[in-house]
Amino acid sequence: MTEDRTLAAMLGNDRWLPATFHIFLLAIVVLLTGAVLPRPFLMSWAAVLLVIILIRTIVASRARHPATEPRSIVRLTRIIVIALGLAWGVGAALAAPRVPAATFAILLMALAGLLAGGINTLVADRWAFPAYALSMLGPPLVALPLLQPEPATSLQMLLIALFLFFMVNQHRRAHALLLDRQLADQNQRALVQELQTAIADVRTLEGILPICASCKRIKNEAGAWDAVESFVREHTAAEFSHGLCPDCAARDWDVVGHR
């Protein structure tokens, strides 16, 4: 449960920046294709994207709420990013036959920029980004040979496929590094906890101790005089076992013998 909540919280990070980036690129796409794409298609495409972006932002905002089920957030996030990728990818594929080749290339660059940003925002989830990338670039990859059956199309498809593979591999490496860093942080916190526990268990005596020159009792913080055993036992973890040193044994037994 803790891992699910951590994953949900990380998927909810930076919710405003991705939404702003998507909306900014959508505005550029509308400006570029507004003169060549049918208005109903363009408005529908933009509306679908805006709705999904809004839902994604709402779900991300609820990710850190204590009452939210973390597994539901993770599942919803995966579904939403797949829907967002399909909205971009299918829209670009449908727009391809209606726009100039240069404009379609710009559309692909916009999708590439979205994927580059997705590596950071989806780095915590091993499977969300590959699904997002495939749903975004898959439709244009399938549509290219159907729309432009030319030898040059094969090269374009190869470049898109290589870029898709590269991005998924980069995300895999970034995810592995994140897991290693989290493991290192957990080990460090566990070590700090162990050190704090050990320090709490260890009690030492410092400074000058006022001790009676005659009876050897020690003056405590309250001003009372304690036996050495009591004082040391109170301020340290030491315990005493009693016996006689050779000198005392010889002296005491000698006294007893003379009696």
Side-chain angles (χ1 to χ4, degrees):
M1 181 63 70
T2 303
E3 293 180 357
D4 292 335
R5 186 161 298 280
T6 301
L7 175 58
M10 294 183 71
L11 290 174
N13 290 337
D14 300 328
R15 55 189 179 274
W16 300 113
L17 183 60
T20 303
F21 191 42
H22 278 276
I23 294 173
F24 177 72
L25 284 180
L26 177 60
I28 293 178
V29 169
V30 170
L31 291 176
L32 286 175
T33 61
V36 293
L37 289 178
R39 189 176 184 83
F41 168 77
L42 187 59
M43 297 304 295
S44 300
W45 187 18
V48 169
L49 284 170
L50 288 175
V51 169
I52 298 176
I53 293 169
L54 177 61
I55 295 174
R56 170 75 175 96
T57 305
I58 294 174
V59 171
S61 300
R62 293 183 56 84
R64 291 183 173 273
H65 197 280
T68 304
E69 173 62 32
R71 292 185 180 179
S72 300
I73 293 295
V74 174
R75 287 194 295 265
L76 278 175
T77 300
R78 291 172 179 174
I79 294 173
I80 291 170
V81 297
I82 291 174
L84 186 59
L86 286 173
W88 276 109
V90 172
L94 293 176
R98 299 182 175 92
V99 298
T103 302
F104 183 66
I106 294 176
L107 282 177
L108 292 179
M109 290 179 60
L111 299 186
L114 291 174
L115 285 183
I119 289 181
N120 292 325
T121 57
L122 300 175
V123 67
D125 192 347
R126 177 69 181 87
W127 304 111
F129 180 82
Y132 176 59
L134 186 61
S135 61
M136 181 178 289
L137 290 184
L141 191 61
V142 173
L144 275 175
L146 300 177
L147 300 175
Q148 302 175 5
E150 301 174 358
T153 303
S154 300
L155 180 59
Q156 296 175 3
M157 294 175 60
L158 177 61
L159 291 175
I160 294 175
L162 288 176
F163 178 77
L164 179 60
F165 172 79
F166 173 77
M167 296 301 288
V168 171
N169 187 58
Q170 286 296 106
H171 176 267
R172 179 187 62 80
R173 295 176 60 184
H175 179 71
L177 288 175
L178 177 63
L179 294 182
D180 290 342
R181 187 180 67 183
Q182 289 178 335
L183 180 60
D185 290 342
Q186 291 175 359
N187 292 336
Q188 184 178 15
R189 286 195 296 268
L191 179 60
V192 170
Q193 183 64 35
E194 291 177 2
L195 290 175
Q196 289 176 343
T197 302
I199 291 173
D201 291 339
V202 175
R203 294 178 295 176
T204 60
L205 294 175
E206 294 181 331
I208 299 175
L209 299 178
I211 186 170
C212 176
S214 177
C215 67
K216 306 304 181 184
R217 288 189 298 174
I218 299 176
K219 188 177 182 180
N220 61 25
E221 294 85 351
W225 292 86
D226 294 333
V228 173
E229 295 92 334
S230 300
F231 187 88
V232 172
R233 187 179 293 113
E234 181 181 351
H235 291 79
T236 70
E239 292 292 340
F240 288 90
S241 63
H242 291 81
L244 291 174
C245 70
D247 294 338
C248 291
R251 182 196 64 201
D252 294 342
W253 282 104
D254 184 61
V255 171
V256 172
H258 281 84
R259 290 178 183 175

